[in-house]
Amino acid sequence: MSFAFSEHEKQRVALASMIGIHLDPIGYTDMAVTIVWAVLIFMQFLAVAYSLHHRRYRPIQNAQPLLMAMLPVASIAWLIGDIVANDIVHPSQQWMRNCIVLVVWLRTTCGQSLVVSSLLLRCISLWFRYRLHRRFTPLISSVFAVLLMAAATIPSIIITLLPTSKTVTFVATIDACIINPQFKTAATLLTWLMFAFLLAAFCMLFMGTKCAHNEHVGVALAWLILGLATGFNTYVMYVKPMYPASLVLRLCLVSANQGSVLAAWWAVMGRAVYNCRFRYHVHLVEWRLASKAAQSAGT
């Protein structure tokens, strides 16, 4: 994988210029940002491993570390899809020229949809605990997980079966994925309808519900962070539809996506992990007192 300004890259820039596109060549800045995010994701997995190792610590157990571990897993798929589809690395392998795999499956289904589904499961589990006063058992969790997986996978399968000219196609001249305008509009509309539904569901689930440890605050912050990143994606896609040609925009977009996923994990897990590391026994006492107070208020 070369980041040097090779003859192939010079030809690519020249061909893009001939069709009226100013193309910033793939270079060492792209490589540096890719390495930075790879290192940050690795460090994130260390934090995930720490949370799973201490999963019996009640505050961490309450934050559902195994479920939240899906976020950094999704960030890997999202990063791979982003760096190839956004023209940060050269598509040296055949699968890297398959824009359906990159945009629909890696970025959307295995990336964004997995993140959203994990957070939605977190919301539902809190609703079961504090509103219905029932355990969110593995069986119930599996049923909801299968439903959410189907909701994300079925549209992706349908899109895969459509002609690429109607969805997203690879243009060999500039080594880039080009999205059909009608498909982009439909995908953007569905994305924001999904966020509107999630906002309505969040308000409905937690309206008048008191969480013993304010868990809903972390989830709400995670939704806000992801919503801002999605808004930035929408803005760039419509204001600068050829954003992969711009070095600044493609790197900002990748950074916004990856940063939002990592920040969402810390929004939900950060307090429990921090207190486990630095205030283990003190926080455990505080947590038990808050739980008892909530139970007393409930009765």
Side-chain angles (χ1 to χ4, degrees):
M1 188 179 295
S2 174
F3 290 90
F5 192 48
S6 62
E7 285 299 322
H8 171 74
E9 190 67 5
K10 291 177 183 178
Q11 293 176 7
R12 198 169 71 94
V13 172
L15 288 171
S17 179
M18 291 174 61
I19 58 176
I21 299 174
H22 174 74
L23 179 63
D24 291 331
I26 298 172
Y28 292 108
T29 305
D30 297 278
M31 179 183 71
V33 171
T34 302
I35 292 174
V36 165
W37 281 112
V39 171
L40 288 175
I41 291 174
F42 173 75
M43 294 173 65
Q44 179 69 50
F45 270 100
L46 294 180
V48 171
Y50 181 86
S51 70
L52 292 175
H53 179 70
H54 294 277
R55 63 189 179 277
R56 297 191 184 278
Y57 182 60
R58 288 294 293 147
I60 286 183
Q61 187 181 49
N62 185 59
Q64 297 175 288
L66 186 59
L67 173 63
M68 297 311 297
M70 294 297 101
L71 269 65
V73 170
S75 72
I76 294 178
W78 204 338
L79 179 64
I80 294 172
D82 265 351
I83 63 174
V84 181
N86 288 347
D87 226 12
I88 293 176
V89 299
H90 290 291
S92 55
Q93 304 295 326
Q94 185 60 38
W95 68 268
M96 293 181 168
R97 298 179 176 88
N98 190 327
C99 295
I100 294 295
V101 170
L102 298 172
V103 177
V104 176
W105 287 101
L106 288 177
R107 287 174 60 178
T108 305
T109 306
C110 298
Q112 187 180 41
S113 295
L114 181 55
V115 171
V116 170
S117 298
S118 299
L119 289 175
L120 187 55
L121 276 176
R122 172 68 174 158
C123 288
I124 295 171
S125 70
L126 293 176
W127 184 63
F128 264 74
R129 183 185 310 165
Y130 293 115
R131 193 64 176 266
L132 301 181
H133 303 291
R134 293 176 56 189
R135 285 186 64 246
F136 193 58
T137 62
L139 176 60
I140 297 174
S141 176
S142 299
V143 170
F144 277 104
V146 169
L147 291 174
L148 292 171
M149 187 183 303
T153 305
I154 292 173
S156 299
I157 294 174
I158 294 172
I159 293 170
T160 303
L161 297 176
L162 292 173
T164 56
S165 60
K166 295 183 180 298
T167 54
V168 55
T169 186
F170 182 78
V171 179
T173 308
I174 56 176
D175 283 353
C177 292
I178 303 298
I179 301 176
N180 180 285
Q182 288 75 25
F183 175 72
K184 179 172 67 175
T185 301
T188 303
L189 181 61
L190 285 174
T191 299
W192 283 107
L193 283 175
M194 177 187 68
F195 268 94
F197 167 77
L198 292 174
L199 177 61
F202 182 85
C203 294
M204 182 179 68
L205 292 175
F206 292 102
M207 187 176 296
T209 302
K210 175 64 177 176
C211 295
H213 309 284
N214 294 320
E215 296 96 330
H216 63 290
V217 175
V219 178
L221 182 57
W223 285 131
L224 176 62
I225 293 168
L226 290 171
L228 291 174
T230 303
F232 179 64
N233 273 262
T234 303
Y235 171 80
V236 171
M237 285 178 64
Y238 279 93
V239 175
K240 296 286 186 180
M242 286 302 299
Y243 66 88
S246 169
L247 175 66
V248 173
L249 286 179
R250 66 185 183 235
L251 295 183
C252 285
L253 205 65
V254 169
S255 299
N257 293 338
Q258 293 302 309
S260 67
V261 177
L262 300 190
W265 187 91
W266 283 101
V268 176
M269 295 292 304
R271 183 186 177 193
V273 171
Y274 173 83
N275 283 298
C276 178
R277 178 64 182 85
F278 298 105
R279 302 175 67 246
Y280 189 98
H281 296 291
V282 174
H283 182 64
L284 189 57
V285 172
E286 295 172 347
W287 191 89
R288 286 171 175 168
L289 290 174
S291 296
K292 289 180 180 179
Q295 289 175 358
S296 299
T299 56

